[in-house]
Amino acid sequence: MKERPIGIFDSGVGGLTVAHAIKQILPGESIIYFGDTAHLPYGDKSAESIKLYSRKITEFLLEHNVKVVLVACNSASASAFDILKKEFSQTILIDVINPVVDYLATKHYERIGVIGTKRTISSGTYENKIKNRTGETTVVSLATPLLVPMIEEGFIFDDISNAIIRTYLSDPSLKGIQALILGCTHYPIIKNQISKIFNFNIDIVDSARIVAEALRENLEKNDLLNMGDKLKDQFFISDYTPYFEKIARMFFEGEINLKKADIWS
Amino acid sequence: MKERPIGIFDSGVGGLTVAHAIKQILPGESIIYFGDTAHLPYGDKSAESIKLYSRKITEFLLEHNVKVVLVACNSASASAFDILKKEFSQTILIDVINPVVDYLATKHYERIGVIGTKRTISSGTYENKIKNRTGETTVVSLATPLLVPMIEEGFIFDDISNAIIRTYLSDPSLKGIQALILGCTHYPIIKNQISKIFNFNIDIVDSARIVAEALRENLEKNDLLNMGDKLKDQFFISDYTPYFEKIARMFFEGEINLKKADIWS
C-alpha cells in the first residue's frame, strides 16, 4: 500500500511545478502524472467540461493504483474538486486551493489578492473559501489569462513579460494587498517578476510548496509515507507534441519522459 | 440543393473572420459554423489529433446538409485537409491555404513571409505549396504563438500588443519580404498593427477575403450559388462559456447566437 505512487493531474504540464515540489519534499515517493494536453488550457473551458475531464482522469489514475489523487490544477480544483470528493469518497483527494486557504488562515491578513485563469477567478472559489474561514479578510480576484501562454511561449524576465505583468497587477483593486495568491500552477515560474512589481513587500503565495507540505502531512497522518522501494515515475499526456516535452522540462526543472495515454477516444 | 447552407469550421471562434467575409461577399448564402472550443487551440495540438477532430466535425456539418465544407482554420488546413479530401471525396471542400497560394502565384514575389501557430508553421504547408507553385520564391516561416491569446485577451492597439508584434516581426528572417501571409484566422484583427511595423510597405495577405472569393468562384462554377430563400445562420461550439460569446462578436463583427453541440461525448 505505502509503495503505491502518488497520482497527480493537471490540464497540461503546468502542474509539474507541483510535481517538482513533491519530489523535493517527499523524495521517497514515486508519482504518476497525467496532463490533459488534448483539452488544455482548462482556464477557458466550462465548469461542466472540466468536471467531465477530471472524473475520467481520476479513474485513469486509480486504475494505475495510486494511493492519493492530487488535483494540481487550479481550474479543476475550483470547478471539479467537490464533485470528485463526492464521487470518489473512498479515495484520498488533495486539491491546490484548500491547503492555501489553510495556510492563509494562520496569517490574519486584512487584504489578499488572487490571480488566476478566467475559470478559476469566475468560480469565486478562493474568495468564498477564505471568507468562510477568516471573516475579516477582504479578497480581491483578478483574471490574468495571458500569463499562461506568455510563460509557455518563453516570455519571461524580459520587457514584454514585465509589461504584461505590470499591466495586470496595476489593477486598482490590488492596491493595499498584503499577500497575492498565485492561483495557477504556471505562475511560480514568474514569482520573482511578480514580487518585484510589489517591491518585494508582500507575501507571494506559491501553492506548489504549500500543497506538497499538505500532501506530506496527509500521508503521515494516514501512515502512507513510502519507506520501501520506489517505483519508476511515470508522466502521461493525452496529446503528444515535442513542444510539450520542451516546456515540461521548464516546469519540472529536470529531465522528463512524456508518454501519450489516449483516454479520450 | 442551392439553398443548402455553407459549412464552416474552426478550432474556436477565430474562423468567424472568414464567416464575416463570406457574409459580405456572398450575402445570399446561409452558413452553419462549428467552433471546436472543447479542443481549442489547435495550434498546440498534434497533427494526429487535429485529423481526428476535423473528420468528426466534417461529419457533423454533412449531417446538417451543407453544400460545401470550408476549413476556416490554418492549423486544420495544414494538418488535416489532405486526409479530408481523401475521405470525403464526394464533398466540395475548401481550405484557407490553397486559395492564398493561388493568389500569390499571380504576384511573382521574390521573398514572402508567413506567420502562424506552431502547428501551421511546423507543418511547412505554406512553404511547400508556394515553392511547388512558384519555384523562384523564397518563403520564410515564423511561429508567433502568443498572438492568438493576446488578441483573445483584448491586447490590441496598445503598448503590449505593439511590443509583442514588434518582437516577433523583428526576426531577422523576415528582412526584405515583399508580402506577409497572416497564416491564422485570428490575425486579421491586428492587420493594421502588423502593416505599420513594415511602414505599410508590403502586401499583408489576409486570407479571409481571398478564401471568401475562392468560395464564390467555386459555387459559381458548380452552379451552387443560392438564388432562393435564405436559411437561418447557425453557430455551434463544442464547449460553451459566456467568454466565447463575447469574443465571437469581435471576430464576426456583429451579433451572434452560439449554441452548444456536444459531439465529443
Side-chain angles (χ1 to χ4, degrees):
Chain A
M1 181 73 191
K2 295 181 184 182
E3 282 87 35
R4 289 159 66 196
I6 291 160
I8 307 175
F9 79 85
D10 178 35
S11 60
V13 292
L16 289 169
T17 56
V18 180
H20 172 73
I22 290 171
K23 296 302 288 182
Q24 294 204 302
I25 287 171
L26 293 163
E29 301 295 331
S30 60
I31 58 182
I32 294 193
Y33 184 94
F34 186 92
D36 190 12
T37 49
H39 293 118
L40 121 173
Y42 279 4
D44 298 335
K45 305 292 188 292
S46 67
E48 193 189 352
S49 293
I50 293 173
K51 281 174 193 167
L52 192 79
Y53 306 152
S54 299
R55 182 184 296 129
K56 185 92 183 237
I57 296 166
T58 301
E59 284 165 3
F60 171 87
L61 291 172
L62 291 174
E63 282 160 18
H64 282 73
N65 205 29
V66 298
K67 60 183 172 186
V68 48
V69 172
L70 197 158
V71 185
C73 168
N74 280 269
S75 302
S77 292
S79 301
F81 190 62
D82 288 345
I83 193 104
L84 291 181
K85 278 212 298 193
K86 220 174 275 175
E87 293 185 10
F88 299 90
S89 56
Q90 301 305 307
T91 303
I92 302 177
L93 285 157
I94 296 177
D95 73 329
V96 288
I97 296 179
N98 285 304
V100 169
V101 174
D102 292 341
Y103 162 82
L104 287 169
T106 67
K107 293 288 179 178
H108 309 290
Y109 293 129
E110 282 164 21
R111 192 175 174 83
I112 294 175
V114 51
I115 55 174
T117 65
K118 281 193 282 285
R119 169 59 30 220
T120 299
I121 296 305
S122 73
S123 74
T125 307
Y126 277 102
E127 225 163 321
N128 296 335
K129 283 186 188 266
I130 294 171
K131 278 183 183 163
N132 283 345
R133 193 65 174 276
T134 61
E136 296 298 281
T137 311
T138 301
V139 183
V140 287
S141 312
L142 184 72
T144 51
L146 198 59
L147 296 187
V148 166
M150 180 195 87
I151 293 164
E152 295 206 341
E153 298 316 327
F155 288 96
I156 45 180
F157 301 112
D158 63 359
D159 292 347
I160 285 177
S161 56
N162 276 329
I164 294 172
I165 294 168
R166 191 169 288 281
T167 300
Y168 276 135
L169 299 184
S170 302
D171 195 280
S173 67
L174 296 180
K175 235 184 153 76
I177 54 172
Q178 296 153 299
L180 180 69
I181 302 167
L182 305 186
C184 173
T185 49
H186 279 68
Y187 299 172
I189 302 278
I190 51 169
K191 185 176 175 178
N192 286 339
Q193 272 185 284
I194 289 173
S195 197
K196 199 179 163 199
I197 303 276
F198 295 97
N199 296 316
F200 304 101
N201 240 339
I202 68 169
D203 183 6
I204 306 293
V205 184
D206 163 4
S207 52
R209 276 198 83 81
I210 294 171
V211 170
E213 287 290 357
L215 172 65
R216 189 180 53 74
E217 279 169 35
N218 196 303
L219 293 179
E220 267 174 10
K221 194 180 70 188
N222 290 289
D223 195 21
L224 282 173
L225 277 174
N226 183 19
M227 305 301 186
D229 289 341
K230 261 176 70 177
L231 301 169
K232 205 175 165 321
D233 295 332
Q234 291 188 79
F235 301 90
F236 297 99
I237 51 177
S238 51
D239 190 17
Y240 179 87
T241 71
Y243 164 72
F244 292 133
E245 196 100 46
K246 186 182 135 200
I247 57 171
R249 284 195 294 269
M250 171 171 80
F251 288 111
F252 193 58
E253 300 180 40
E255 274 310 303
I256 193 163
N257 177 22
L258 299 175
K259 272 179 285 190
K260 181 169 173 184
D262 194 358
I263 70 172
W264 302 116
S265 55
Chain B
M1 181 70 190
K2 295 182 184 182
E3 281 86 35
R4 289 160 67 196
I6 291 160
I8 307 175
F9 79 85
D10 178 36
S11 61
V13 292
L16 289 168
T17 56
V18 180
H20 172 73
I22 290 171
K23 297 301 289 181
Q24 294 203 302
I25 287 171
L26 293 163
E29 302 294 331
S30 60
I31 58 183
I32 294 193
Y33 184 94
F34 186 92
D36 191 13
T37 50
H39 293 116
L40 123 172
Y42 278 6
D44 297 336
K45 306 292 187 292
S46 67
E48 194 189 350
S49 293
I50 294 174
K51 281 175 193 168
L52 193 78
Y53 306 152
S54 299
R55 183 184 293 129
K56 185 94 181 233
I57 296 166
T58 300
E59 284 166 3
F60 171 86
L61 291 172
L62 290 174
E63 283 160 17
H64 282 73
N65 204 30
V66 298
K67 61 183 172 186
V68 48
V69 172
L70 198 158
V71 185
C73 169
N74 279 269
S75 301
S77 293
S79 300
F81 191 63
D82 288 345
I83 192 106
L84 292 181
K85 278 212 298 194
K86 222 174 271 175
E87 293 185 11
F88 300 91
S89 57
Q90 301 304 306
T91 304
I92 302 176
L93 285 157
I94 295 177
D95 73 329
V96 288
I97 295 179
N98 285 304
V100 169
V101 175
D102 292 340
Y103 162 82
L104 288 168
T106 67
K107 293 290 182 178
H108 309 290
Y109 292 129
E110 281 164 20
R111 191 174 174 84
I112 295 175
V114 52
I115 56 174
T117 65
K118 281 193 282 286
R119 170 58 32 220
T120 300
I121 296 305
S122 73
S123 74
T125 307
Y126 276 102
E127 225 162 321
N128 296 335
K129 283 186 189 264
I130 294 170
K131 277 184 184 163
N132 283 345
R133 193 66 173 276
T134 61
E136 296 299 282
T137 311
T138 301
V139 182
V140 287
S141 312
L142 185 72
T144 52
L146 198 59
L147 297 187
V148 166
M150 180 195 89
I151 292 165
E152 295 206 341
E153 298 316 328
F155 288 97
I156 44 179
F157 301 112
D158 63 359
D159 291 347
I160 286 177
S161 56
N162 275 330
I164 295 171
I165 294 169
R166 192 170 287 280
T167 299
Y168 275 136
L169 300 185
S170 302
D171 195 279
S173 67
L174 295 180
K175 231 180 157 81
I177 55 171
Q178 295 153 298
L180 180 69
I181 302 168
L182 306 185
C184 173
T185 50
H186 279 67
Y187 299 173
I189 302 278
I190 51 168
K191 186 178 176 178
N192 286 338
Q193 273 185 281
I194 289 174
S195 197
K196 199 179 161 198
I197 303 277
F198 294 97
N199 297 315
F200 304 102
N201 240 339
I202 67 167
D203 182 6
I204 306 293
V205 184
D206 164 4
S207 54
R209 277 197 82 82
I210 293 171
V211 170
E213 286 289 356
L215 173 64
R216 189 180 54 72
E217 278 168 36
N218 196 303
L219 293 179
E220 267 174 9
K221 194 180 69 189
N222 289 290
D223 196 20
L224 281 173
L225 277 174
N226 183 18
M227 304 302 185
D229 289 342
K230 262 175 69 175
L231 301 168
K232 206 175 164 322
D233 293 333
Q234 291 189 78
F235 300 90
F236 297 99
I237 50 177
S238 51
D239 189 17
Y240 179 85
T241 71
Y243 163 72
F244 291 133
E245 196 99 48
K246 185 182 134 201
I247 55 168
R249 284 196 294 271
M250 170 171 81
F251 288 111
F252 193 57
E253 300 181 40
E255 274 310 306
I256 193 163
N257 178 23
L258 299 175
K259 274 179 284 190
K260 181 168 172 185
D262 194 358
I263 69 171
W264 302 116
S265 56

